[in-house]
Amino acid sequence: MQLKQSLSSWQSMAWLIGIALSIPLAFLIFEALQGESEVFSHLWQSVLWDYTRNTLVLIAGVVTLSALIALPLGWLTAYCRFPGKRVFEWALMLPLALPAYIIAYVYTDLLDYAGPVQIWLRQQFGWQGPDDYWFIDLRTLPGAIVMIALVLYPYLYLIFKTALREQSFKLVQASQLMGMSPAQSFFKVSLPLSRGAIVAALALISMETMADFATVHYFAVSTLTTAVYDTWLGYYSLTAAAKISGIMLLFLFVALLLERMSRKTQVVHERQSGVNDTHLYDLTGYQGWLAWGFCMLILGIAFFVPVGILLNYAFHYFEQAWNAEFFTYALQSLQISLYVSVIAMFISLLVVYYQRIEPGKFTNLPGRFASTGYALPGTVLAIAVLLPLTLMDTKLNDWLDGSGFEPGLLLSGTLFAMIFAYVVRFYAIAHGAVESSFVRISPSIDMASLSLGKGRFQTLTQVHLPLLKRGLLTAGLLVFIECMKELPAALLLRPFNFETLATHVYQYVSDEQLELASISALFIVLVGLIPLYWVNRSMEQHN
Amino acid sequence: MKSAIATLLAAVTSLSAVAADEVNIYSYRQPFLIQPILDDFTKQTGIKTNVVFAKKGLIERVKREGKHGRADLVLTSNFSAMIQLEEMGLTNAIESDKIDKNIPASFRDPDGHWVALTKRVRNVYSSKDRAGKLTSLSYEELANPKYKGKICTRSGKHPYNLGLVASMIAHHGEAETKTWLQGVKANLARKPQGNDRAQVKAVKEGLCDLALGNSYYFGKMLEDNKQRAWADAVYINFPNQSDRGSHLNVSGVVMTKYSKNKENALKLIEFMTDNKAQNMYASMNMEYPVKPGVELSKLVASWGTFKEDSLPLSEISKYRPMALKLIDEVKFDL
């Protein structure tokens, strides 16, 4: 009886979270079902197929490229020793702090026909016009794939590396003893064992890709996300925009389904004990330098070159780009990112824990519901959030009518709307990270704890939390950095006189004058580095 | 009970029922231009201004917020946005003798639901080296096969291009405009991308010979050390001088229907139509002021006078939805 009661309170909490976070989506679906939309059928007949194809190619490309970058990197830093490894281990996460549209801008500037690289080539070879030679055209679909993959691969890298670390080390050692080569061991042991984590990370990456607006818009690549924008803000048809979001949701469910199927694979509940510094392979000589070269190449392209160019802008345009407002923007960005990441960590912990203690057919549903917000592009999400919030505001105002106090837009016109939207959007990241950490804790630990007379809650706080620390921090960190970069939702939901660094920078990017906001752009990166450093340090201590 | 809750809410929220002496603005126009004007307004009147700057979605936000919304004014960068707000029933009539005196009737809504603040022209820029000055050029000619692979423009869905396409429909009808659009698309040197400045840059670099762009960009580029070389490589041409005149677009302002600070909002609109602010628009952003008699910037004046298309904006804006549809149908941006 006692047990049943405590279960049901966990249950109601999880369901409450799941429902609260999927309310915006429910409103959106309701909007999408609002009868025939003339606009939608027109789009269907003209450009929608192109948009869909572009979106699918974009996702497939980004996922593939991210895997090619991140899997080798994760494996190298988890299991090998080579020059610079200790630095690379955390440095390879750095590109996460860069918004995709910023590196898109920087590289366009660099590699454009009118950019320094091509001008130099033309001078060197005496080429006259664009017809005389071939050069990379960055503002294309493949260009967008490369840009987005460069800033999203750290997801996979981080999650894969963590998975490898937490995997049974003995298995890999055994494979070594049985005479497997490193490559064989990688493909036959490490990859299959971390399949769940890899698919989860790739699902995250594909959702992030789908939600990207600024980069594809800047590259003039039309995707479903840009179509949602055009439809809603150009055709003024929320219904048609919601219908297009529906297509995107289908993709999302496929991604989630894949993730779930991969979770069904056998899980090995064993945590690696001992120090983290054990490494299986000593890469010496040219192998070591090859590993160093590969890490350096990725880090250079994805981080040092863009940041170097930003520094260069900042140096040349210092007078125009420097203003005291940064600190305000930085503070406001930090503030909202902190709120959201703490909330996301906390509620994802509750939901995942409920899934754990009450395994059943429907236990996963709250988490799934709550994760759906992730695939919505920020604009759509902003609207989806405004729909229920303004409704509640209106009701509240009507109810208080005559009391002499009119609260106005208490929910939708304040920071609340922004925080809520961010939580809806990024819950999935936290959920994925927490879930994959939880899965590695053997259920027998729970049983032991319960049989020793600890309650569910105590088990969570005293037994699980210390074991989950790393996963939770990773979750919080990822959410934090995403919040720093989040743009479309911020643009639409900002209260008066509120700017984040991202919105400030984007104003200039869309004017093709990033130079003038280069310092703010560097600030985004810098602020993203603080939590990276902090999490890394706590992991070191943890080890 | 209710009053207790109300008191509690009032205590914990900084939103008071009676607004202070302030005015709330949603601005599609950029901070660099608007903020100085607002600061000046505050200095003169003591009225505090609060702004949300955004490039997209403000109309939708006003619509969603409904009667409890706090925006008093929306500053737009093109006429479609103003007329859209009006059609959605989200605007208030602006009644002021001062504004009526400052702004010619053709640049105000007959019922006062919007007021234009600045004019800009959709120009064609031509390469000095490869195309020369094109005094007799028309928009229609951009579809002429002789320009194959020589034209650059930003996205067809951008309000400035949509305005132009809508005006083509207003003058020539849907079918002819569609054929024209297909012709222009066939002449494009590259997929539509970048902003108006980027097109001029592309002409300088030799990617294309002609580019569509708004007038004020040209002035702003000449003032920017890095971009002067781009602007120096092109001539600015005013199309259709021998027939209907060049296509105009305007930036402007509407007062929201549920404005809580109507008086202050009106003061701000009056201020924006007056000499000081009109001068700032002209000198800081190289736009054509709407108030007659306000001096153009020297640079803008040096481009000479030109004939404006006299078709009313409210007429042109009727065709905006159709323009958008045609852009999709001919896959202009793809």
Side-chain angles (χ1 to χ4, degrees):
Chain A
M1 192 63 222
Q2 182 61 41
L3 189 68
K4 225 182 162 50
Q5 270 201 328
S6 72
L7 275 184
S8 63
S9 65
W10 286 105
Q11 188 175 22
S12 41
M13 188 119 67
W15 276 97
L16 192 71
I17 292 167
I19 289 168
L21 294 192
S22 49
I23 283 175
L25 184 70
F27 269 79
L28 196 71
I29 290 173
F30 180 74
E31 184 69 45
L33 298 174
Q34 297 302 304
E36 261 307 289
S37 160
E38 204 184 312
V39 173
F40 185 76
S41 53
H42 152 73
L43 289 170
W44 185 258
Q45 285 155 13
S46 52
V47 284
L48 210 52
W49 168 239
D50 295 288
Y51 293 168
T52 309
R53 195 189 50 215
N54 281 349
T55 303
L56 288 173
V57 171
L58 185 73
I59 293 172
V62 171
V63 162
T64 310
L65 190 58
S66 304
L68 288 175
I69 296 173
L71 295 177
L73 288 178
W75 188 79
L76 280 173
T77 49
Y79 286 163
C80 307
R81 189 158 68 165
F82 58 92
K85 173 208 150 148
R86 300 222 44 149
V87 176
F88 283 130
E89 215 179 328
W90 60 267
L92 284 166
M93 295 194 273
L94 293 177
L96 256 192
L98 277 164
Y101 57 90
I102 289 184
I103 77 167
Y105 182 94
V106 163
Y107 274 115
T108 305
D109 216 32
L110 187 71
L111 301 174
D112 211 14
Y113 184 83
V117 174
Q118 290 202 53
I119 287 178
W120 182 83
L121 285 171
R122 284 198 292 276
Q123 283 168 349
Q124 291 299 309
F125 297 95
W127 292 321
Q128 291 308 310
D131 302 334
D132 295 354
Y133 66 105
W134 179 91
F135 196 78
I136 309 162
D137 184 6
L138 203 59
R139 282 174 115 153
T140 53
L141 190 52
I145 288 173
V146 175
M147 292 299 115
I148 296 174
L150 283 179
V151 295
L152 291 184
Y153 84 82
Y155 276 132
L156 179 59
Y157 164 74
L158 196 61
I159 293 175
F160 182 55
K161 191 181 69 171
T162 314
L164 288 181
R165 280 281 167 76
E166 295 187 345
Q167 245 172 42
S168 169
F169 212 55
K170 296 196 187 76
L171 280 174
V172 188
Q173 277 171 322
S175 74
Q176 233 184 329
L177 290 171
M178 286 159 75
M180 279 194 189
S181 70
Q184 281 174 313
S185 162
F186 173 75
F187 284 109
K188 290 187 173 165
V189 181
S190 304
L191 269 191
L193 278 179
S194 5
R195 202 165 73 186
I198 293 171
V199 175
L202 290 178
L204 284 187
I205 288 176
S206 55
M207 292 185 229
E208 271 297 323
T209 306
M210 218 182 332
D212 171 87
F213 166 76
T215 314
V216 285
H217 186 249
Y218 180 65
F219 276 6
V221 173
S222 299
T223 63
L224 288 171
T225 311
T226 57
V228 168
Y229 264 77
D230 291 344
T231 311
W232 177 55
L233 304 173
Y235 283 103
Y236 300 105
S237 169
L238 183 56
T239 309
K243 282 186 198 298
I244 297 173
S245 311
I247 300 178
M248 296 169 76
L249 280 179
L250 286 180
F251 293 169
L252 162 75
F253 285 132
V254 170
L256 287 174
L257 203 69
L258 282 173
E259 188 202 1
R260 196 154 93 197
M261 279 159 60
S262 69
R263 286 275 162 94
K264 288 225 166 77
T265 52
Q266 199 197 356
V267 182
V268 183
H269 296 292
E270 192 196 338
R271 294 184 52 86
Q272 178 208 332
S273 55
V275 273
N276 225 337
D277 247 8
T278 33
H279 46 270
L280 292 161
Y281 304 103
D282 239 336
L283 302 179
T284 48
Y286 83 96
Q287 282 183 323
W289 290 109
L290 260 180
W292 180 89
F294 180 58
C295 293
M296 206 58 213
L297 178 76
I298 298 297
L299 204 53
I301 296 176
F303 190 76
F304 290 130
V305 171
V307 169
I309 293 177
L310 281 178
L311 284 168
N312 184 32
Y313 287 160
F315 180 76
H316 282 287
Y317 285 82
F318 188 81
E319 269 171 38
Q320 290 136 291
W322 177 259
N323 56 39
E325 284 159 340
F326 295 147
F327 297 105
T328 319
Y329 301 153
L331 213 60
Q332 288 174 330
S333 299
L334 279 169
Q335 180 193 0
I336 193 163
S337 306
L338 193 69
Y339 291 157
V340 174
S341 45
V342 169
I343 294 171
M345 270 156 62
F346 181 69
I347 61 179
S348 62
L349 189 65
L350 293 179
V351 173
V352 177
Y353 190 55
Y354 159 69
Q355 286 178 193
R356 183 181 182 87
I357 61 181
E358 201 183 329
K361 230 188 211 161
F362 303 111
T363 323
N364 284 339
L365 284 180
R368 305 243 166 270
F369 279 158
S371 300
T372 44
Y374 195 38
L376 295 177
T379 318
V380 183
L381 175 72
I383 292 317
V385 161
L386 281 179
L387 292 171
L389 292 190
T390 41
L391 189 71
M392 282 192 255
D393 275 333
T394 311
K395 288 260 181 283
L396 183 70
N397 278 291
D398 291 349
W399 184 71
L400 285 172
D401 201 27
S403 68
F405 172 66
E406 191 195 319
L409 302 171
L410 199 59
L411 301 173
S412 58
T414 57
L415 215 49
F416 179 86
M418 238 169 125
I419 293 171
F420 181 55
Y422 280 32
V423 171
V424 170
R425 179 140 156 58
F426 299 129
Y427 172 85
I429 301 180
H431 185 93
V434 172
E435 198 175 28
S436 59
S437 295
F438 243 128
V439 147
R440 286 187 211 96
I441 302 176
S442 165
S444 53
I445 290 184
D446 300 40
M447 290 173 201
S449 166
L450 289 171
S451 65
L452 289 170
K454 290 206 184 298
R456 286 286 178 194
F457 185 73
Q458 282 177 307
T459 307
L460 176 64
T461 52
Q462 295 172 9
V463 180
H464 289 142
L465 266 186
L467 294 173
L468 284 170
K469 203 167 105 182
R470 197 190 289 175
L472 258 183
L473 278 176
T474 307
L477 165 77
L478 289 174
V479 173
F480 187 94
I481 291 179
E482 279 304 326
C483 290
M484 287 298 299
K485 297 190 297 182
E486 168 58 37
L487 182 72
L491 283 173
L492 287 166
L493 296 172
R494 276 173 306 162
F496 282 103
N497 307 332
F498 189 93
E499 289 262 7
T500 65
L501 288 171
T503 56
H504 175 68
V505 169
Y506 185 68
Q507 303 257 17
Y508 287 92
V509 167
S510 54
D511 277 342
E512 313 212 1
Q513 292 195 299
L514 176 61
E515 297 84 350
L516 304 183
S518 46
I519 298 179
S520 307
L522 285 167
F523 249 72
I524 296 183
V525 180
L526 207 66
V527 172
L529 296 184
I530 298 165
L532 272 175
Y533 168 79
W534 181 73
V535 166
N536 189 57
R537 212 186 57 168
S538 76
M539 281 190 180
E540 300 262 307
Q541 287 170 345
H542 178 75
N543 299 329
Chain B
M1 173 68 195
K2 200 188 279 193
S3 60
I5 291 179
T7 317
L8 188 71
L9 278 174
V12 296
T13 57
S14 52
L15 303 167
S16 55
V18 185
D21 211 11
E22 60 183 11
V23 57
N24 298 318
I25 301 137
Y26 281 177
S27 173
Y28 277 106
R29 307 224 57 194
Q30 295 168 0
F32 85 88
L33 178 69
I34 299 301
Q35 203 59 56
I37 294 177
L38 296 181
D39 291 346
D40 213 74
F41 172 71
T42 305
K43 210 163 69 189
Q44 278 198 20
T45 59
I47 297 167
K48 185 169 175 271
T49 56
N50 305 308
V51 203
V52 174
F53 290 104
K55 283 208 176 323
K56 286 182 186 323
L58 292 175
I59 294 180
E60 202 55 41
R61 191 163 159 177
V62 173
K63 185 173 147 189
R64 292 282 144 217
E65 291 174 347
K67 65 177 180 194
H68 300 294
R70 291 178 65 218
D72 302 304
L73 295 179
V74 183
L75 290 170
T76 76
S77 58
N78 64 83
F79 66 82
S80 301
M82 298 193 287
I83 289 164
Q84 187 66 35
L85 280 161
E86 184 191 3
E87 283 177 357
M88 289 177 170
L90 298 169
T91 54
N92 221 317
I94 299 166
E95 289 161 358
S96 148
D97 293 343
K98 194 171 183 180
I99 293 170
D100 292 355
K101 207 173 71 207
N102 284 343
I103 307 293
S106 56
F107 291 101
R108 282 183 279 124
D109 178 54
D111 305 324
H113 283 270
W114 53 264
V115 173
L117 294 170
T118 61
K119 297 186 276 187
R120 53 277 296 276
V121 191
R122 200 71 185 141
N123 297 100
V124 174
Y125 295 102
S126 57
S127 160
K128 281 182 180 173
D129 301 343
R130 299 181 303 279
K133 187 121 181 89
L134 304 167
T135 43
S136 61
L137 185 80
S138 66
Y139 297 114
E140 287 77 3
E141 262 180 274
L142 296 176
N144 187 324
K146 74 175 177 192
Y147 292 123
K148 191 163 180 55
K150 294 201 160 90
I151 297 176
C152 284
T153 178
R154 74 191 308 165
S155 160
K157 291 181 178 177
H158 192 278
Y160 302 153
N161 276 345
L162 277 182
L164 176 62
V165 176
S167 88
M168 292 296 282
I169 300 173
H171 288 292
H172 298 293
E174 184 181 4
E176 206 175 312
T177 304
K178 186 171 177 176
T179 314
W180 173 75
L181 266 179
Q182 283 163 329
V184 177
K185 180 175 160 58
N187 285 344
L188 292 178
R190 58 175 185 181
K191 185 179 66 172
Q193 57 187 263
N195 60 4
D196 281 0
R197 284 172 211 259
Q199 312 313 319
V200 175
K201 183 177 170 187
V203 173
K204 185 213 174 253
E205 290 299 327
L207 277 169
C208 37
D209 297 354
L210 303 181
L212 273 166
N214 276 1
S215 48
Y216 54 89
Y217 284 107
F218 191 57
K220 290 168 69 83
M221 287 166 88
L222 286 166
E223 287 204 321
D224 179 308
N225 287 338
K226 189 177 103 174
Q227 298 176 353
R228 185 174 304 127
W230 310 351
D232 278 337
V234 299
Y235 290 115
I236 182 168
N237 305 288
F238 295 93
N240 296 71
Q241 289 306 292
S242 53
D243 47 37
R244 66 177 181 271
S246 301
H247 168 65
L248 273 194
N249 204 323
V250 298
S251 76
V253 61
V254 304
M255 191 195 295
T256 60
K257 184 177 177 182
Y258 299 109
S259 166
K260 314 268 186 296
N261 304 301
K262 289 198 174 65
E263 265 177 53
N264 292 348
L266 198 62
K267 277 186 195 153
L268 180 54
I269 299 175
E270 286 175 348
F271 180 82
M272 288 185 143
T273 60
D274 225 336
N275 292 346
K276 181 96 197 257
Q278 288 285 305
N279 252 320
M280 281 169 124
Y281 277 126
S283 58
M284 286 168 57
N285 208 37
M286 308 285 165
E287 293 180 76
Y288 292 92
V290 176
K291 184 175 187 229
V294 172
E295 214 172 315
L296 295 178
S297 88
K298 277 201 177 59
L299 184 63
V300 176
S302 73
W303 305 337
T305 52
F306 63 96
K307 186 178 172 190
E308 303 172 8
D309 183 349
S310 58
L311 196 66
L313 296 173
S314 47
E315 185 60 30
I316 294 176
S317 81
K318 281 183 198 158
Y319 298 102
R320 186 188 158 281
M322 194 185 284
L324 189 55
K325 223 174 86 194
L326 289 184
I327 297 278
D328 269 341
E329 274 176 21
V330 306
K331 298 190 179 179
F332 193 83
D333 283 353
L334 290 168

